Amino acid sequence: MAVPISQMWTVSTYVLKKKLSGTKRYPLVLMLEPLFRCNLACAGCGKVQYPPHILKKQLTPEECFAAVDECGAPMVSIPGGEPLLHPQIVEIVNGLIARKKYIYLCTNALELKRRLPEFTPSKYLTFSVHLDGDREHHDFSVCREGGYDIAVEGIKEAVKRGFRVTTNATFFDGTDPNNVRKFFDEVMSMGVEGIVLSPGYSYDKAPDQTKFMGRARVRRLFRAILSNRKPTWKFNMSPLFLEFLMGDRNYDCIPWGMPAYNIFGWQRPCYLLQEGYADSYKQLLEETNWEDYGVPSGNPKCANCMVSCGYEAPAVIDGFGSLKGFIAMVRGTFTRYPDQHALNLLNEPAAQGSPALVKIETPGRQLEETRA
Amino acid sequence: MTAEVLKYTREQIEALEVAPGSQHENLEGWVPELATDEEIKAAIGKALDYRGDVTLTLKSGEKIEAYIFNSHNGPTLADSWVQYFTPKAADKRKVTYAEIARIEFTGKDRAAGKHWEDWVKAYNEKKAAGEKNIALHPDKLE
């Protein structure tokens, strides 16, 4: 089990209180982006594509605390940009710890080793290190040779100092599931608490607009990766969300479950789409046309999205909000998902070309039915 | 609901193998016609998607260099506004559509020329030339 009991208790009691109070929409994780500035220029990330005066802006600690206090989510994810470039990130983190928020500080770890002495290990603080695969794959993915080695050095130092550490990977079309499974072995051997993963999304501003998987292909990939699990693998995610990725269950997106706040305000409707900003979380909830988003809406912008900011919250609410969901979650935590069909998928020929130069097209395959 | 909603059925979405990407428009240097309300709204829609600054000329004659990130469409141009940052001020500002006389896409498009294929091509060329520590670097903050 990757997530500590105290964190699960906090989240489960929060969900139950909201359920008992009849609250229809509430946040589980605040995606707090204190800045867009980054020290990488990854293909696949559009967050750095702003004029310099925007990249120089950053949220103050007070603005971060006000957003956290207003929305009340028990967990705060700090992506970016690269949060460790924020000169007051330690003050922000310490202020959130004082508020007893469970923090996932998402970092490429290029600065992690250098800045670790400024942080204090806490059950509330997790460094979520971006690693997209083995050395060759990660370096190619983040468009920087040597990035993997620096990140791994940061991970090992953080683990050594007693910090909670997870890795965080995004998989795009052409990903070889066998490589990913080997990568999981490698990551777990570093002593991390667990793995976080997500399928890529066709983020409108991303420089790479060619390798986005549709939902059928996402399910097939994650079914191949996540079935027949090794006992050493641990995932710092809801088991029900992983089952969603594998095609074993279906959820509808609830973007208000993981709202995003940055220098522009509260992002509508979610972390990935930019369809305006609200001045407050209350305004975001009340004035966003939520029915325009998610699969039931038919909105093409939501067509291939299966990412955690929309779909992990319903999985968590399902897991902690009903006895049936809770039993499924417990079962999912301890199951290895044996699946012969998934083994067959692993034995299919890998996409042609260098594994690092991710193959964009997969010719000759028929659309495959999955269990979703 | 917006016009583009309801383009796909759930069955179509669930069966998607590859998701279409978006087409990047080259808007740098563009000066749209703003003769009608619809043209103003369309131009502001493009400015919202644009990853560079625009220059707004107001009917008062004032020129504003702005990164537009938010808008509100009200029943009239006077009730509609854009929200922006300027390079020289820390605070967010607003101006109504009715006050805008001209929009010029003057700033560098920060999304242009950063395609995956460009990276693959550059990587392969540098690798073949024996270069080490190949990397893309973020734009300088000037």
Side-chain angles (χ1 to χ4, degrees), chain A residues 52-70:
Chain A
H53 67 98
I54 299 296
L55 294 176
K56 285 178 191 167
K57 289 191 194 304
Q58 53 207 20
L59 293 175
T60 64
E62 291 71 28
E63 287 170 323
C64 294
F65 303 149
V68 169
D69 292 343
E70 191 208 342

Side-chain angles (χ1 to χ4, degrees), chain A residues 140-161:
Chain A
F140 198 73
S141 174
V142 302
C143 308
R144 175 168 170 156
E145 286 189 341
Y148 177 90
D149 290 337
I150 298 171
V152 169
E153 210 180 333
I155 288 171
K156 288 180 176 169
E157 183 64 22
V159 169
K160 195 172 109 187
R161 286 173 178 262

Side-chain angles (χ1 to χ4, degrees), chain B residues 64-137:
Chain B
I64 302 168
E65 193 181 347
Y67 182 80
I68 295 176
F69 62 88
N70 197 14
S71 71
H72 168 73
N73 273 312
T76 67
L77 294 187
D79 301 314
S80 306
W81 46 259
V82 291
Q83 196 170 23
Y84 60 91
F85 277 116
T86 71
K88 288 173 186 161
D91 57 324
K92 300 171 192 171
R93 297 182 177 187
K94 283 182 185 173
V95 63
T96 67
Y97 290 12
E99 293 173 86
I100 299 171
R102 183 179 167 89
I103 302 175
E104 297 168 76
F105 289 68
T106 44
K108 182 179 173 186
D109 182 354
R110 303 285 165 173
K114 293 175 178 171
H115 300 287
W116 180 257
E117 291 80 2
D118 298 330
W119 159 238
V120 173
K121 184 169 177 284
Y123 177 86
N124 286 334
E125 284 170 3
K126 289 178 180 188
K127 198 82 177 169
E131 210 172 299
K132 302 282 181 201
N133 299 320
I134 303 167
L136 290 182
H137 298 285

Side-chain angles (χ1 to χ4, degrees), chain A residues 32 48 51 59 61 82 85-86 102-103 123 146 168 206 216 220 231 237 245 267 271 298 300 306 311 337 370:
Chain A
L32 179 67
V48 295
L59 293 175
E82 169 52 48
L85 296 184
H86 194 300
Y102 284 92
I103 307 156
K123 70 175 181 179
N168 185 356
R220 191 161 59 245
M237 310 191 82
L245 291 179
Q267 191 167 327
Y271 178 70
M306 293 180 77
Y311 292 96
Y337 296 90
T370 66

